[in-house]
Amino acid sequence: MSLRSLGVELHCRCIMTESKPIGRHIEKVELIPANSHCEETEIIATLKKTGQEVCLDPEAPWVKKVIQKILSNKRR
Amino acid sequence: MSLRSLGVELHCRCIMTESKPIGRHIEKVELIPANSHCEETEIIATLKKTGQEVCLDPEAPWVKKVIQKILSNKRR
């Protein structure tokens, strides 16, 4: 079973990140730790209406706030 | 386009959560905020070797630690 078939990305998935705070449009967030294929932690949000995937900057304060709110189970 | 086809779950995806700290086996983590279909924030980890999906308890200290480590970009 190849890594690829396991859905493991063999490179970074994010080229650029969304700068505008889009917290209320986010349906879910995927956190991908740095690994042998990508030196950066990547955060990929799926948007509610379109299902579109958008990369977020792990260093951006608003991103950290969105993640904390999700974890603390507060409706945004 | 139905919600379902957008990949939007119409109910909670987690029935039980993994109690053992499995941080080093985690390939990526999905955070799903509470929504109209599921009152609970859900955290679903994908495991490295098998690609298996495992639900994690958002309240568990080890889970919070794993997420912080991912966000701070430290290799686990």
Side-chain angles (χ1 to χ4, degrees), chain A residues 3-31:
Chain A
L3 278 180
R4 188 74 201 81
S5 67
L6 272 177
V8 173
E9 294 300 331
L10 299 181
H11 47 75
C12 293
R13 287 172 56 182
C14 293
I15 297 161
M16 46 186 281
T17 58
E18 173 58 58
S19 51
K20 291 191 300 300
I22 53 168
R24 65 187 181 294
H25 300 297
I26 291 174
E27 190 229 327
K28 61 183 177 180
V29 175
E30 198 174 29
L31 308 182

Side-chain angles (χ1 to χ4, degrees), chain A residues 33-34, chain B residues 18-29 45-48 54 56 61-67 69-70 74-76:
Chain B
E18 173 59 57
S19 51
K20 291 192 301 302
I22 53 169
R24 66 187 181 300
H25 299 298
I26 291 175
E27 189 228 331
K28 60 183 178 181
V29 176
T46 301
L47 301 186
K48 285 178 183 167
V54 176
L56 308 182
W62 73 270
V63 173
K64 290 178 180 178
K65 221 168 91 181
V66 164
I67 289 173
K69 272 189 176 173
I70 292 173
K74 286 196 201 88
R75 289 285 179 94
R76 278 149 302 108

Side-chain angles (χ1 to χ4, degrees), chain B residues 6-69:
Chain B
L6 272 175
V8 175
E9 293 300 330
L10 299 180
H11 46 73
C12 294
R13 287 172 56 182
C14 292
I15 297 161
M16 47 185 281
T17 57
E18 173 59 57
S19 51
K20 291 192 301 302
I22 53 169
R24 66 187 181 300
H25 299 298
I26 291 175
E27 189 228 331
K28 60 183 178 181
V29 176
E30 198 174 29
L31 307 182
I32 304 165
N35 54 53
S36 52
H37 306 297
C38 179
E39 287 291 309
E40 302 292 321
T41 286
E42 296 191 296
I43 300 181
I44 300 174
T46 301
L47 301 186
K48 285 178 183 167
K49 285 199 186 115
T50 59
Q52 184 193 350
E53 289 190 333
V54 176
C55 288
L56 308 182
D57 175 5
E59 303 300 326
W62 73 270
V63 173
K64 290 178 180 178
K65 221 168 91 181
V66 164
I67 289 173
Q68 285 321 317
K69 272 189 176 173

